Amino acid sequence: GIISLISLAVLSYERCCTMTRTAEPDTTNYRKTWTAIILSWTYSLLWTAPPLFGWSSYAPEGPGITCSVNWHSKDANNASYIVCLFVFCLVIPFAIIVYSYGKLLCAVRQVSSIPRGPGRRREQRVLVMVVVMVVCFLLCWLPYAAVALTATFGQPGLITPAASIIPAILAKSSTVYNPIIYVFLNKQVSEML
């Protein structure tokens, strides 16, 4: 889950950098791509390893089918990890996504400020893609974050195993949505297909 969140943030930032650069991208140099992949996985590992070393723990999630952070433990050790996880693995990636797509949208608006039809249509397509990606990100991860924070800081037993199934499935399926949205809302990719 964390790698998917970080990957979405990195992809949005890279998409923003690629679209707002004036020079043509070098498609033969994969160093930046490999660096982004390695940094994404390293960052994710840094945030998933602490429960293995005593900062919080892993436990069965929901009806016991999957394993996740122990959201139901009420001790300070666990609560501090969950707050850090929430901030560094949800809030910050979301802020990067909003910043990147917002900057991309501003760049597209500047380019298409000339009142021509194609520029205006392109701006509208980018706006739709940005809004759909951000909304899907929120729909996938906010229910899971709300359930996790409620289970951690709410009354014991407030979140039942059955109530946690849908948010967990939404969060785990989030990696599928971004490429699908990009394929269907990107005119060049749709035309290729």
Side-chain angles (χ1 to χ4, degrees):
I2 292 173
I3 189 63
S4 72
L5 286 168
I6 303 306
S7 295
L8 289 174
V10 168
L11 286 171
S12 68
Y13 181 74
E14 180 57 31
R15 190 171 300 145
C16 174
C17 290
T18 302
M19 297 292 285
T20 56
R21 260 189 227 126
T22 55
E24 282 291 315
D26 181 10
T27 56
T28 61
N29 186 356
Y30 294 104
R31 187 175 346 164
K32 284 177 68 177
T33 304
W34 280 109
T35 302
I37 291 169
I38 290 168
L39 288 176
S40 297
W41 280 88
T42 303
Y43 187 84
S44 299
L45 180 64
L46 288 174
W47 284 106
T48 54
L52 301 174
F53 301 105
W55 189 20
S56 188
S57 62
Y58 287 114
E61 179 180 46
I65 298 170
T66 60
C67 183
S68 185
V69 175
N70 187 356
W71 305 113
H72 299 285
S73 176
K74 301 285 185 191
D75 64 355
N77 181 29
N78 191 57
S80 65
Y81 175 71
I82 289 170
V83 167
C84 286
L85 202 59
F86 181 77
V87 169
F88 290 100
C89 296
L90 181 68
V91 173
I92 290 175
F94 180 67
I96 291 169
I97 289 170
V98 169
Y99 169 79
S100 299
Y101 286 145
K103 188 174 177 182
L104 177 62
L105 188 60
C106 288
V108 169
R109 279 200 143 163
Q110 284 179 345
V111 169
S112 65
S113 62
I114 303 165
R116 287 187 290 168
R120 185 65 59 200
R121 282 193 300 264
R122 180 174 179 222
E123 177 187 339
Q124 290 171 346
R125 277 196 315 272
V126 171
L127 176 62
V128 168
M129 185 172 65
V130 167
V131 168
V132 169
M133 285 183 171
V134 170
V135 166
C136 282
F137 180 91
L138 291 173
L139 287 175
C140 288
W141 285 103
L142 279 184
Y144 189 75
V147 166
L149 290 173
T150 303
T152 303
F153 298 108
Q155 296 295 324
L158 188 61
I159 303 295
T160 64
S164 66
I165 291 173
I166 302 265
I169 290 171
L170 279 173
K172 290 175 188 343
S173 66
S174 69
T175 35
V176 175
Y177 301 128
N178 204 23
I180 290 172
I181 292 166
Y182 190 69
V183 165
F184 286 110
L185 293 180
N186 188 322
K187 187 178 177 183
Q188 292 138 342
V189 175
S190 324
E191 287 173 355
M192 262 186 3
L193 295 175

